[in-house]
Amino acid sequence: MTFHITVDGRPVPVVPGQSIGAALHAAGVRSWRTTRFGGRPRGLFCGIGVCFDCLISVNGRPPERACLLEAEPGDEVTTA
Amino acid sequence: MTGAPYDLVVVGGGPAGVAGALTAALAGLRVALLDSGARLGGQYFRHAAVPEREPGLDRFLLQARLLDGRADVLTRHQVWNVSREPGGDLTVHALTRDSSGERPVTLRARRLLIATGAHDRPLPFPGWDLPGVLTAGGAQALLKGGGVLAGRRVVISGTGPFLLPVASGLARAGAAVLGVYEANGGLGLARHPLLALGKAGEAAAYAAALARHRVPYRTRHAVIAAHGEREVEAVTVARLDPDWNVLSTRIVGCDTLAVGYGFVPQIELGTQLGCETRGDPDGSPVLRVDAAQRTSVPGVWAAGEPTGVAGWRQAEVEGRIAGRAIVGEARPIARRGPDGVLLRRRRQWRAFGEALQRAYPVRPGWQSWLRDDTLVCRCEEVPLARVREALELGATDARSVKLLARPGMGWCQGRVCGYAVSCLAGEAPRPPRRPVAQPVTLGALAEAAPEDSPDEAAQ
Ligand SMILES: Cc1cc2nc3c(=O)[nH]c(=O)nc-3n(C[C@H](O)[C@H](O)[C@H](O)COP(=O)(O)OP(=O)(O)OC[C@H]3O[C@@H](n4cnc5c(N)ncnc54)[C@H](O)[C@@H]3O)c2cc1C
Ligand code: FES
């Protein structure tokens, strides 16, 4: 049974238990923020919470690691 | 903080931590186990979405089931510091999150078992910060934890036997694996050291999977650059000499690159407490332990990758040995001698791990792959030129490079670039000096001090 989250207003399907990062990656969204200095796109790199490349803001909260954060029905994320 | 201290707090719910916790809990000790993940399993048994069964998984799941109810298993709890109280007990500081946000949890412990595993060791190269470039472990974690293919057309590069399960996993799950490029070993898959080391079954299974999916395996080759605008679109594959200097190159189109050059044991909880370290054959600092897995600090044990990278079987064996020793110390009456079978297995798997580390070293030629503008530190976006400048200004080691050019000062605290910066500064990697094992918000730090009962946390 999949549910949906929204990414910039677009629905993205999630398999229960998936992280936000895994769900985005599966939907072909592979970058969701830009770096402070170079403005370079970033998404998943280490996949296990070590590198902090995957920071993302969910439901307006401060940025968290997308690779660790389990997606919940109705989560809204915005990409940069 | 209220309540009696736990007899044992275990940090890490992979094979090492679960085995240690279960051994102690079965002997009647009051045990808590914390893991930052949503489920037990660690990096090998993260089984949420695995389509196929890993060897050893059934056994691990049984251990995890037995542990449930016999110990307080706190998943989604990230430990960021362990400190020693004046009375001698240990205080374990963790953060957990629930619907209302992040919340600090503090546990008291008479003994600590550090079973925090390892993370990938990447090397920098031009374009390694492009989306679509992942660590080999990251690609594996996506597949095993999330059931997601890292990409459709994948290139795999780096060094070490870990590239093989990553490649065969992706190929079996339907990705086109365009090539596995192993920077070491001129011998090829048929003479892979896994075969020589008596893991013929495992190596043969990987080799068969790669052959079935027509995945080319090339030794003395590596990806030395990734290209693309907003994502990786192609990579430069180089043929290498034994020191990893480039002999020739060609371009391979792909949508994903997975890279890994070994592992970095996560030892900061130990170094925070003052545990002694030693260098593993591959140069990684690891915690020094005695025959009973005791570190140099009383009351603190370590098992699994933090004592040296040697695979999940060794992790479980070390966890069990630590568990027995901890029981012996907590219940002198119940003390039994060391288990000869476990000790023999530990010796064998340690030798195996060390032999693999020696067979797959990182060679200095990778530094010639970098350009002036190649980022060495991804977090602070420090290019090679700034690291070189710091060295020319008189920095003589990684610490002074860091002070001058800021590599390793960002969110990841140097976990990703630390090894590369040490190599560029011409020294062996040093043990981490991170006061917090995980970055935490200032608010959470401020809240961490008072009142959190372990029993409440266990609910
Ligand atoms: C990303 C990755 C993928 C891997 N995939 C495979 C594979 O497919 N096949 C294979 O043979 N080997 C794989 N390995 C190697 C394998 O992980 C190890 O051989 C084995 O897992 C070691 O077991 P362990 O118990 O020492 O550590 P782990 O299994 O890594 O367990 C450590 C646990 O500690 C937790 N932890 C760490 N720090 C903290 C903290 N501060 N607070 C709370 N919890 C913490 C982690 O979340 C983790 O669950 C992989 C390694 C990595 C890094
Ligand atoms: S991908 Fe590295 S922290 Fe999430």
Side-chain angles (χ1 to χ4, degrees):
Chain A
M1 277 314 290
T2 61
F3 60 83
H4 285 80
I5 60 174
T6 64
V7 180
D8 299 329
R10 245 180 352 115
V12 163
V14 177
V15 178
Q18 263 177 351
S19 70
I20 298 261
L24 289 181
H25 207 91
V29 182
R30 304 213 292 178
S31 66
W32 43 83
R33 76 173 179 99
T34 51
T35 58
R36 277 175 302 163
F37 305 117
R40 304 285 297 154
R42 293 278 171 90
L44 295 178
F45 179 61
C46 75
I48 61 165
V50 168
C51 73
F52 288 78
D53 263 1
C54 65
L55 289 174
I56 197 164
S57 172
V58 178
N59 302 330
R61 292 192 304 256
E64 293 167 84
R65 284 165 285 179
C67 65
L68 294 184
L69 191 63
E70 210 169 294
E72 290 181 27
D75 276 348
E76 290 180 17
V77 309
T78 38
T79 69
Chain B
M1 201 164 54
T2 54
Y6 284 96
D7 295 318
L8 171 66
V9 167
V10 180
V11 185
V18 166
L22 181 60
T23 305
L26 286 174
L29 268 57
R30 198 163 157 262
V31 178
L33 180 146
L34 300 89
D35 193 290
S36 49
R39 280 166 296 273
L40 296 181
Q43 305 305 353
Y44 179 64
F45 293 120
R46 57 171 71 245
H47 51 269
V50 250
E52 68 220 59
R53 318 286 286 173
E54 295 284 353
L57 178 62
D58 288 335
R59 177 181 164 79
F60 177 83
L61 291 178
L62 177 62
Q63 289 174 320
R65 247 190 336 270
L66 289 171
L67 188 62
D68 206 32
R70 290 184 168 85
D72 292 339
V73 176
L74 311 182
T75 52
R76 296 191 172 87
H77 280 64
Q78 189 139 43
V79 176
W80 56 270
N81 179 272
V82 180
S83 56
R84 175 81 70 183
E85 295 170 25
D89 286 346
L90 296 156
T91 307
V92 180
H93 301 274
L95 276 181
T96 187
R97 76 180 326 287
D98 48 30
S99 48
S100 56
E102 281 193 333
R103 180 169 64 84
V105 174
T106 311
L107 306 182
R108 278 171 64 209
R110 289 203 204 288
R111 295 169 201 82
L112 178 73
L113 174 58
I114 298 171
T116 42
H119 59 76
D120 281 273
R121 184 164 70 182
L123 290 176
F125 54 87
W128 72 309
D129 58 325
L130 279 173
V133 179
L134 286 95
T135 65
Q140 188 78 337
L142 258 183
L143 185 63
K144 288 166 83 169
V148 174
L149 273 181
R152 303 251 124 236
R153 299 167 60 239
V154 188
V155 168
I156 296 171
S157 180
T159 193
F162 181 51
L163 302 181
L164 298 176
V166 175
S168 60
L170 285 169
R172 272 191 304 230
V177 179
L178 306 176
V180 180
Y181 299 104
E182 160 63 63
N184 275 305
L187 300 177
L189 200 52
R191 297 183 49 201
H192 195 285
L194 279 181
L195 291 166
L197 288 159
K199 298 246 287 185
E202 202 166 317
Y206 293 138
L210 296 193
R212 194 163 55 247
H213 296 281
R214 300 208 163 68
V215 175
Y217 178 85
R218 300 264 179 281
T219 55
R220 292 267 161 78
H221 280 72
V223 168
I224 61 161
H227 315 283
E229 267 309 307
R230 291 198 55 87
E231 290 196 357
V232 59
E233 291 160 13
V235 295
T236 300
V237 174
R239 198 160 62 82
L240 304 175
D241 74 9
D243 282 331
W244 296 11
N245 297 303
V246 174
L247 297 175
S248 60
T249 63
R250 67 194 163 89
I251 302 283
V252 174
C254 63
D255 62 30
T256 301
L257 169 64
V259 278
Y261 287 88
F263 294 100
V264 178
Q266 310 210 80
I267 62 171
E268 42 269 273
L269 292 178
T271 51
Q272 281 171 3
L273 287 162
C275 298
E276 277 174 26
T277 60
R278 64 175 180 90
D280 232 14
D282 74 345
S284 290
V286 296
L287 298 178
R288 189 186 285 286
V289 291
D290 69 7
Q293 301 294 133
R294 242 184 248 109
T295 70
S296 63
V297 171
V300 181
W301 276 258
E305 314 280 57
T307 73
V309 170
W312 61 271
R313 292 179 185 82
Q314 173 75 340
E316 191 208 314
V317 168
E318 290 188 357
R320 289 175 63 193
I321 292 173
R324 286 173 72 100
I326 288 164
V327 171
E329 201 207 74
R331 304 251 190 286
I333 286 180
R335 181 175 303 167
R336 279 191 270 141
D339 177 328
V341 175
L342 285 181
L343 297 184
R344 196 166 61 245
R345 272 196 221 147
R346 180 177 59 184
R347 207 162 46 239
Q348 286 165 348
W349 288 117
R350 174 65 58 212
F352 166 75
E354 291 182 351
L356 285 181
Q357 289 184 27
R358 289 202 180 86
Y360 296 97
V362 171
R363 297 286 180 193
W366 68 265
Q367 297 185 24
S368 69
W369 308 345
L370 275 54
R371 296 188 320 231
D372 280 353
D373 63 351
T374 303
L375 293 187
V376 173
C377 167
R378 304 163 65 98
C379 302
E380 293 294 299
E381 299 172 73
V382 181
L384 176 67
R386 290 238 303 280
V387 173
R388 291 255 158 87
E389 194 180 85
L391 291 168
E392 263 148 40
L393 283 171
T396 50
D397 58 11
R399 261 183 73 74
S400 40
V401 169
K402 186 167 154 180
L403 291 174
L404 287 174
R406 299 189 56 79
M409 303 281 266
W411 273 105
C412 90
Q413 299 180 293
R415 286 182 176 81
V416 174
C417 70
Y419 177 76
V421 172
S422 293
C423 292
L424 290 168
E427 63 172 7
R430 294 198 195 174
R433 293 208 218 168
R434 301 181 187 109
V436 295
Q438 296 288 335
V440 283
T441 55
L442 283 178
L445 276 175
E447 280 174 49
E451 300 304 296
D452 255 300
S453 101
D455 299 322
E456 180 187 277
Q459 280 164 13

